[in-house]
């Protein structure tokens, strides 16, 4: 069965003046057109080929030998290249732009800006479309995720509370402004950790571990760094947040707490310009 909006392995049935007809081998499936302008290969009858299949404006199945940036069911960062009253168009690697209908837009789209777009197949229009209203396709709870789990996140919106993110390309979550110690913008991808799973299943995310294990890990990293640099570091509690993040990938507040804990344990000394290993 042909999967619209995905890569299919099909067979070349016949050559046409303007392209090729491809078949799945299933007599119930329609033929798929591979126009010459969508083809980057030299083909012969009977050959198998992997192609991306979608539909044109008339509903005809059309294919491309070069796949787009994402297939149906995937979420990806795309740039807006056009806007009309009925929707916005995004470049997604094909010679035909992806339409995000107005009703599927989280907020008005501006040409030239990047957005996080979910690709889907619309049964009503029989077209491959995009959406920036991600909550229609991605769940806001994940039964297998627990507090402290390491995850990857993609920022897709900014609100008064913080940054909405896609977790592991499958679920939705939120990074509160108080947990966003580095600059974030739409489309940014970052490593993170599950901070809280609320009673309703919704997920809060932090950019660093805030539990005991996270604090101990940072303290160990600071000690290792001192040992590797002759027992001295110029990275103090007076250093700029950007310097601390570049070195340890944590906030300045977390770093200050860690060196304070090490000082109380008498493992380091601290002066105005340096910290030293005891």
């Amino acid at each position: 069965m042909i999967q619209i909006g995905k890569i299919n392995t099909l067979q070349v049935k016949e050559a046409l003046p303007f392209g090729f007809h491809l078949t799945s081998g299933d007599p119930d499936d329609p033929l798929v057109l591979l126009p010459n302008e969508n083809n980057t290969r030299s083909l012969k009858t009977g050959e198998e080929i992997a192609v991306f299949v979608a539909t044109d404006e008339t509903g005809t199945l059309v294919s491309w030998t070069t796949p787009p940036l994402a297939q149906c069911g995937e979420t990806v960062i795309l740039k807006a290249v056009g806007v009309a009253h009925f929707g916005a168009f995004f470049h997604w690697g094909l010679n035909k732009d992806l339409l995000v209908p107005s009703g599927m837009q989280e907020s008005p789209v501006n040409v030239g800006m990047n957005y996080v777009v979910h690709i889907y197949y619309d049964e009503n229009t029989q077209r491959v479309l995009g959406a920036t209203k991600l909550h229609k396709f991605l769940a806001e709870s994940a039964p297998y995720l627990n507090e402290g789990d390491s995850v990857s996140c993609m920022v897709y919106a900014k609100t008064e509370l913080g940054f909405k993110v896609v977790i592991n390309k499958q679920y939705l979550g939120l990074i509160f402004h108080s947990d966003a110690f580095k600059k974030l913008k739409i489309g940014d991808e970052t490593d993170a950790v599950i901070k809280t799973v609320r009673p309703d299943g919704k997920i809060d995310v932090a950019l660093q571990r805030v539990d005991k294990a996270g604090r101990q890990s940072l303290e160990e990293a600071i000690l290792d760094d001192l040992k590797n640099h002759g027992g001295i570091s110029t990275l103090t509690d007076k250093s700029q947040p950007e310097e601390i993040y570049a070195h340890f990938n944590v906030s300045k507040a977390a770093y200050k707490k860690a060196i304070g804990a090490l000082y109380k344990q008498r493992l380091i000394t601290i002066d105005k310009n340096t910290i030293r290993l005891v």
Side-chain angles (χ1 to χ4, degrees):
M1 181 178 179
I2 294 173
Q3 292 183 295
I4 300 176
K6 297 196 173 187
I7 294 174
N8 295 253
T9 298
L10 304 177
Q11 187 179 65
V12 179
K13 182 176 178 62
E14 61 180 339
L16 306 168
F18 48 84
F20 295 89
H21 266 152
L22 310 179
T23 177
S24 68
D26 186 336
D28 294 329
D29 281 345
L31 295 177
V32 178
L33 176 64
L34 174 60
N36 289 329
E37 62 267 24
N38 297 356
N39 182 25
T40 59
R41 293 183 50 181
S42 176
L43 299 174
K44 58 184 179 181
T45 303
E47 181 177 354
E48 285 194 341
I49 181 173
V51 291
F52 176 78
V53 178
T55 57
D56 64 12
E57 292 76 8
T58 66
T60 301
L61 290 180
V62 180
S63 61
W64 288 258
T65 55
T66 301
L69 298 176
Q71 303 178 59
C72 279
E74 297 179 346
T75 305
V76 68
I77 302 165
L78 300 177
K79 178 181 283 189
V81 294
V83 175
H85 69 277
F86 54 84
F89 294 94
F90 288 77
H91 175 67
W92 65 322
L94 298 182
N95 53 11
K96 175 187 176 185
D97 294 326
L98 178 73
L99 172 65
V100 175
S102 298
M104 286 294 179
Q105 295 175 20
E106 179 79 16
S107 59
V109 171
N110 296 308
V111 173
M113 292 186 63
N114 290 331
Y115 294 84
V116 178
V117 180
H118 183 80
I119 316 297
Y120 70 101
Y121 176 65
D122 182 51
E123 294 283 354
N124 293 326
T125 62
Q126 297 187 334
R127 296 179 66 182
V128 176
L129 300 171
T132 57
K133 281 187 175 180
L134 302 185
H135 66 274
K136 288 185 173 290
F137 303 93
L138 303 180
E140 294 184 294
S141 62
Y144 78 93
L145 287 178
N146 300 296
E147 294 180 12
D149 286 352
S150 296
V151 294
S152 62
C153 289
M154 181 190 299
V155 179
Y156 74 92
K158 184 178 180 181
T159 71
E160 292 182 357
L161 291 176
F163 296 90
K164 293 182 179 180
V165 295
V166 179
I167 304 168
N168 292 347
K169 298 183 179 181
Q170 299 179 70
Y171 306 101
L172 301 182
L174 179 70
I175 299 176
F176 285 99
H177 285 300
S178 57
D179 291 317
F181 56 82
K182 66 175 181 178
K183 291 182 179 179
L184 294 174
K185 63 181 185 297
I186 307 303
D188 279 353
E189 297 183 72
T190 183
D191 292 331
V193 64
I194 302 300
K195 179 182 179 182
T196 307
V197 178
R198 302 183 216 169
D200 61 1
K202 292 186 178 180
I203 307 164
D204 297 333
V205 184
L207 295 181
Q208 64 188 17
R209 296 188 69 95
V210 294
D211 56 5
K212 182 179 179 181
R215 293 192 297 272
Q216 290 177 340
S217 176
L218 177 55
E219 291 169 18
E220 290 170 4
I222 293 169
L223 291 175
D224 288 342
D225 184 68
L226 285 167
K227 292 172 185 176
N228 293 332
H229 293 87
I232 187 171
S233 172
T234 58
L235 205 62
T236 70
D237 57 355
K238 307 299 182 186
S239 299
Q240 292 299 311
E242 294 79 9
E243 295 178 85
I244 294 170
Y245 176 75
H247 204 80
F248 289 106
N249 201 35
V250 298
S251 66
K252 182 173 181 176
Y255 182 74
K256 288 176 69 174
K257 288 180 181 178
I259 62 174
L262 292 172
Y263 178 77
K264 289 179 181 178
Q265 298 171 59
R266 300 189 178 184
L267 296 175
I268 63 171
T269 60
I270 304 174
D271 59 37
K272 184 176 181 181
N273 298 312
T274 61
I275 62 173
R276 296 176 184 269
L277 193 64
V278 173

